[in-house]
Amino acid sequence: MPCISGTFDVIIRPEALSDTATQSGLGRLSLAKRYHGALDASAQGEMLSARASVTGSAGYVALERVEGTLDGRHGSFYLQHSGSMTRGAPALSVTVVPDTGTGQLQGLTGSLVIRIEEDKHYYDFTYDIVETP
């Protein structure tokens, strides 16, 4: 499985919650990303978050649609995020939603690791493209 690395820029904006979720204590954010490197793509998505009463504890889920080129193959796919922080200790899983690859990215599987160093965002993306039946 190839593993590629690069940087990305992200703009996060607060969004209004649905009428049903207004009293839930959740936060809702929109995501706009630009990936650089072997993944040359833009992405849009949404995040829901919850903060615990304990400092440094929280959780979030997000989905983003990524469109562009991956190692020269054009198409789109979805990434699913599930993150938590337990008293400052982070845990994050970001995976390709099965069977969402389009164009030359049909059959895409994989997982992405996000690193933030000195306020700069980096990704490491391990992926495979398998022939679909």
Side-chain angles (χ1 to χ4, degrees), residues 2 4 14 18 23 31 37-38 44 46 56 58 62 64-65 67-68 88 92 113 115 117-119 126 133:
I4 59 168
S18 69
Q23 302 301 318
L31 306 170
Q44 293 79 36
E46 291 215 353
E64 64 178 288
R65 182 177 184 272
E67 182 171 10
L92 178 62
V113 174
R115 295 178 286 121
E117 299 171 1
E118 298 178 6
D119 294 327
T126 302

Side-chain angles (χ1 to χ4, degrees), residues 48-107:
L48 287 176
S49 64
R51 290 186 184 200
S53 60
V54 174
T55 301
S57 293
Y60 88 91
V61 294
L63 287 168
E64 64 178 288
R65 182 177 184 272
V66 180
E67 182 171 10
T69 58
L70 172 61
D71 276 340
R73 294 174 172 230
H74 188 268
S76 66
F77 58 94
Y78 283 86
L79 288 173
Q80 179 177 325
H81 300 234
S82 178
S84 63
M85 177 121 20
T86 305
R87 299 181 177 160
L92 178 62
S93 169
V94 182
T95 58
V96 174
V97 176
D99 297 318
T100 59
T102 67
Q104 295 172 319
L105 299 178
Q106 286 184 348

Side-chain angles (χ1 to χ4, degrees), residues 11-46:
I11 297 171
I12 300 172
R13 291 194 171 96
E15 297 288 342
L17 288 168
S18 69
D19 290 340
T20 303
T22 299
Q23 302 301 318
S24 67
L26 295 173
R28 179 175 166 234
L29 305 163
S30 66
L31 306 170
K33 292 183 179 178
R34 182 72 181 120
Y35 290 94
H36 308 280
L39 176 59
D40 183 17
S42 59
Q44 293 79 36
E46 291 215 353

